[in-house]
C-alpha cells in the first residue's frame, strides 16, 4: 500500500469515494460543513488503484482529519492513510492530529484507539445541529444505534 498526496487528476475518484461513503462531498463536523472534495487529501494506492482517501485541514498547529475512507476494509489502507497524515502533521509542526466521529461508529472507535488516538471530548446531541447543515444525515447509524453525539479523538504530537 502506497500513500501519496492527491492531485487534480484524482478529483473524479475522490468525488466517487466521498459520494459512496458520505452521500456527497459535504461532510459536517463540529458545526462546520466542509466540501471535502476541495480539501487537501491523501490517497492510498495498490496496483495503481485508489484503495482509500483521507481529507484534512491544517491550521493553527493542528491537523484535522475531516474524512477517512477505505471502501475495502482490512487491506491496510486506513492505517497507511492515518500514518501518512500523522507524518504530514509532524512535518508541519502540528501539536496534534484530531478528528470527529459519531457515537454509533464503533468500528472506527476501535480503529482509532488501536492507533493511539484518545477520546478527549463528547458533544451530546451534536447531530441535531449537523442535520441542519446536512439534512440527509440519518437518525439511526451503524448497528441501529441512534445517531446523536460527536466524539472528538486526538493524537498528541508534542
Amino acid at each position: 500500500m502506497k500513500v501519496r498526496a492527491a492531485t487534480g487528476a484524482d478529483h473524479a475518484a475522490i468525488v466517487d469515494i466521498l459520494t459512496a461513503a458520505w452521500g456527497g462531498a459535504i461532510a459536517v463536523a463540529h458545526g462546520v460543513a466542509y466540501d471535502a472534495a476541495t480539501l487537501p487529501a491523501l490517497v492510498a494506492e495498490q496496483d495503481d488503484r485508489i484503495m482509500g482517501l483521507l481529507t484534512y485541514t491544517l491550521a493553527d498547529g493542528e491537523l484535522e482529519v475531516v474524512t477517512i475512507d477505505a471502501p475495502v476494509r482490512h487491506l491496510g489502507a486506513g492505517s497507511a492513510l492515518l500514518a501518512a497524515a500523522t507524518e504530514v502533521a509532524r512535518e508541519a509542526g502540528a501539536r496534534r492530529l484530531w478528528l470527529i466521529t459519531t457515537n454509533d461508529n464503533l468500528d472506527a472507535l476501535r480503529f482509532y484507539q488501536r492507533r493511539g488516538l484518545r477520546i478527549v471530548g463528547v458533544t451530546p446531541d451534536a447531530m441535531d445541529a449537523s442535520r441542519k447543515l446536512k439534512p440527509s444525515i440519518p437518525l439511526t447509524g451503524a448497528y441501529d444505534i441512534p445517531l446523536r453525539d460527536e466524539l472528538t479523538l486526538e493524537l498528541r504530537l508534542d
Side-chain angles (χ1 to χ4, degrees):
M1 193 72 53
K2 178 182 115 183
V3 176
R4 63 172 176 80
T7 68
D10 299 315
H11 184 74
I14 288 170
V15 170
D16 288 347
I17 291 169
L18 293 169
T19 300
W22 302 88
I26 302 301
V28 178
H30 57 86
V32 177
Y34 296 93
D35 181 349
T38 66
L39 295 176
L42 300 170
V43 293
E45 288 183 320
Q46 187 172 47
D47 300 325
D48 295 323
R49 279 190 53 224
I50 294 178
M51 305 300 289
L53 169 70
L54 182 147
T55 65
Y56 65 94
T57 64
L58 186 57
D60 301 323
E62 299 182 344
L63 187 146
E64 177 187 3
V65 174
V66 176
T67 67
I68 181 171
D69 298 291
V72 180
R73 295 196 171 175
H74 308 293
L75 295 179
S79 296
L81 287 164
L82 197 55
T86 301
E87 190 56 34
V88 168
R90 283 195 169 108
E91 288 174 3
R95 295 179 310 278
R96 74 176 186 148
L97 176 146
W98 68 286
L99 57 87
I100 299 287
T101 193
T102 51
N103 63 285
D104 68 310
N105 203 348
L106 304 180
D107 295 332
L109 287 168
R110 181 183 68 221
F111 172 83
Y112 295 130
Q113 291 179 85
R114 290 185 67 193
R115 282 146 189 88
L117 281 81
R118 296 186 61 182
I119 298 169
V120 295
V122 177
T123 306
D125 300 318
M127 297 312 296
D128 292 338
S130 293
R131 285 186 190 92
K132 290 177 183 170
L133 297 171
K134 186 175 178 179
S136 61
I137 296 172
L139 295 173
T140 304
Y143 303 104
D144 292 321
I145 297 172
L147 190 49
R148 295 184 179 128
D149 312 318
E150 289 183 342
L151 287 76
T152 304
L153 290 94
E154 75 173 12
L155 177 65
R156 297 299 303 183
L157 303 172
D158 51 7

